[in-house]
Structure formats: C-alpha cells, structure tokens
Amino acid sequence: MPATDVAATMGYLARALKTPTIGRVWEQLATTARAEGWSHEEYLTAVLQRQVADREASGTSLRIAGAHFPAVKTLEDFNVDHQPTLRRDVLAHLAMMTWLPKAENVVLLGPPGVGKTHLGIALGIKACHAGYPVAFDTATGWAARLHAAHRDNRLEHELKRLRRYRLLIIDEVGYLPFDADTANLFFQLIAHRYEQGSVLVTSNMPFGRWGEIFADDIVAAAMIDRLVHHAEVLTLGGDSYRRSGRRELLKTQPTPGADN
Ligand code: ADP
Ligand code: MG
C-alpha cells in the first residue's frame, strides 16, 4: 500500500476506534521502531501503551474535575511528622484504596486546622487516580442538595443516582448544627450508602457530641452505628497547621520593635 494510503487508512481507523492517540503517534513510533530495530510485537505494544496511558490520564482528570474538590491537596504534601499519633500504616493502607470496593468508610476527627480536609481531598484524588468516581461537598452542601431533592419529590432518585460515586466525601460535619429535618435526610443518606458505597466524613466533633449536631441522640447513634460498622476512624490532633505555620514564620522574621 502506498504511504499516503496507509496514513489515510490509519487516520480513518483511529477515528473509527476512537483512539486519537494512536492516530497521533503511530507514524512517529514506526520511525523509532525502524531506527531501533523493534519487533512488530514491540511496536504494537508501544502504540497501544501510549493510547491506554492517555485514556487513563484523561479519565483521571475528568474524575478529579467531576468531584468538585475545593482545592488540590495530595498525600505527598501531607506532613505526617506534624501528626505523630497518626498511624502511618493505616494511612498507607487507606492510600491503597482497597476499602472502596468493599464499601468501607473513613472518619477523620479532630479540631480545626489539623488537616482533616487536606487528607479527605488527598484520599479523594487517590481514588480518582484508581478509577473511582468521587463527589466532594461540605455537610451543609450535601444538606442543601438533599433538601432540594426532597422538596422536588426525588430524594429516592437522588440517593440512587449518588450510587454512581464510589466515594462521597462529607466535609465539616458539626460546624453547623442541623435541624430535625436535615438530620433525618442525612441519616437517610448514610443508611442508603451502608454496605453499598464508601463515605468519608470529617468532623471537628467527637462522636460523643454528635447528638448536638443532629438535634437528637438516637438519630446520631443510629447514624454513627452505620458509619463506623466498616470504617477506619482516625483522630488527628495537635496544633492547627495554619497557626503553627504562622509561628514558624514569626520565628524567622525579626520582631518589629525588638532589638535584633
Ligand atoms: P481541617 O480541615 O482539619 O480544619 P485543613 O485540612 O483545612 O484542616 O488544614 C488547614 C491547612 O493546613 C490546609 O492548607 C492544609 O493543607 C494544611 N495542613 C494541615 N495539616 C497539614 C499537614 N500535616 N501537612 C501539610 N499541610 C497541612
Ligand atoms: Mg476542614
């Protein structure tokens, strides 16, 4: 076949297969293959590998965009030395994402500024890389969504729709207390996810005070039961990372008015 026909046919085939990377790289890789004496098998493998790598990368970025994380935070950026009581083996286990196919949960507890949201996002991003769809929102944001669905008589439908996300991240449970209706909607969300899909919850309140958040000790206890039945509960502690960062900065700056 003349080279121009090969190019046209390859262009057509790549479009028909919806493999744009193959359309882009086959010619250049063929040149490399000839120059380096690759076998046919090696050439074919190289072309397909490039296509798969591109598809995986674009899938990951679509999932990250679709999760609506409020910021980009990674596990690599998380300074574990600042959390001496946090078990590194547990964190390493969570980073492997084996808990998602088992519909297990993660609960991150601790005072403000200790990195709960950071870890939540970082695990969410890892999940996106591992191929799992994720949805992130604050507890207040989830409450608003559930209220809207309930008002329009499509709560059941919305809860089913959320099943497509293998991980729901509910950030900042407890910053604002919920009224009885909201607490009930939240309970339905957690009950619906139970053993079906993972939830990652962060809260500044220990479980003992969740009765205050949900306006009802019994609803809170029923929710905690379902949440922690298959879960890793991590309590972060220490000083706010924001504040300690500022202290470090102050240490290195001359104090105004002081004799330096
Ligand atoms: P929380 O959700 O517990 O209130 P955040 O996760 O929002 O705290 O953390 C506050 C800020 O400090 C964020 O910018 C976060 O990236 C950073 N931070 C907190 N803990 C750590 C840590 N151990 N290593 C690196 N950055 C951290
Ligand atoms: Mg937070």
Side-chain angles (χ1 to χ4, degrees):
M1 205 191 288
T4 48
D5 287 0
V6 171
T9 307
M10 280 303 287
Y12 164 74
L13 292 173
R15 278 193 304 281
L17 286 169
K18 298 189 171 41
T19 51
T21 303
I22 292 181
R24 215 173 47 245
V25 303
W26 70 272
E27 211 163 5
Q28 175 63 48
L29 282 178
T31 308
T32 311
R34 270 191 292 273
E36 305 200 355
W38 294 355
S39 67
H40 292 102
E41 291 85 348
E42 285 170 328
Y43 169 68
L44 181 61
T45 307
V47 170
L48 295 179
Q49 260 169 354
R50 288 283 290 275
Q51 176 63 54
V52 169
D54 276 8
R55 186 163 289 174
E56 282 174 356
S58 69
T60 297
S61 45
L62 283 176
R63 279 188 293 278
I64 290 176
H68 297 289
F69 296 115
V72 176
K73 302 279 177 183
T74 63
L75 281 180
E76 291 71 26
D77 291 341
F78 190 79
N79 178 359
V80 278
D81 294 337
H82 199 76
Q83 285 296 331
T85 59
L86 183 65
R87 287 189 38 207
R88 285 153 206 233
D89 56 330
V90 174
L91 198 56
H93 164 73
L94 290 178
M96 284 166 54
M97 294 297 143
T98 47
W99 49 287
L100 284 182
K102 293 190 266 179
E104 293 172 355
N105 301 326
V106 173
V107 182
L108 303 173
L109 302 174
V114 294
K116 302 181 298 296
T117 301
H118 185 134
L119 270 187
I121 295 172
L123 288 171
I125 287 180
K126 271 267 186 272
C128 291
H129 278 280
Y132 298 107
V134 178
F136 181 106
D137 210 337
T138 58
T140 316
W142 284 113
R145 291 196 206 194
L146 296 175
H147 269 296
H150 183 60
R151 197 185 46 227
D152 302 343
N153 250 329
R154 50 176 186 83
L155 182 63
E156 204 45 43
H157 177 263
E158 177 67 5
L159 291 174
K160 283 213 184 85
R161 194 188 69 83
L162 290 174
R163 282 223 185 127
R164 82 165 76 144
Y165 298 105
R166 298 300 294 273
L167 175 62
L168 295 190
I169 303 182
I170 307 176
D171 197 25
E172 301 185 347
V173 169
Y175 277 101
L176 295 172
F178 289 148
D179 59 27
D181 283 348
T182 312
N184 178 42
L185 287 172
F186 238 84
F187 173 76
Q188 292 198 52
L189 175 64
I190 300 299
H192 203 267
R193 295 295 287 185
Y194 179 64
E195 296 187 339
Q196 300 294 324
S198 296
V199 180
L200 184 154
V201 173
T202 82
S203 179
N204 60 324
M205 294 274 225
F207 286 134
R209 294 186 58 192
W210 279 33
E212 299 166 35
I213 309 170
F214 295 101
D216 185 325
D217 284 342
I218 296 173
V219 173
M223 184 151 28
I224 293 167
D225 242 31
R226 283 162 181 75
L227 201 57
V228 304
H229 183 198
H230 311 285
E232 202 66 70
V233 180
L234 300 179
T235 303
L236 308 189
D239 278 351
S240 160
Y241 202 82
R242 299 187 192 98
R243 265 200 315 269
S244 64
R246 269 203 301 279
R247 260 201 307 277
E248 287 300 311
L249 209 65
L250 287 173
K251 265 191 236 160
T252 59
Q253 307 263 311
T255 318
D259 254 340
N260 288 299

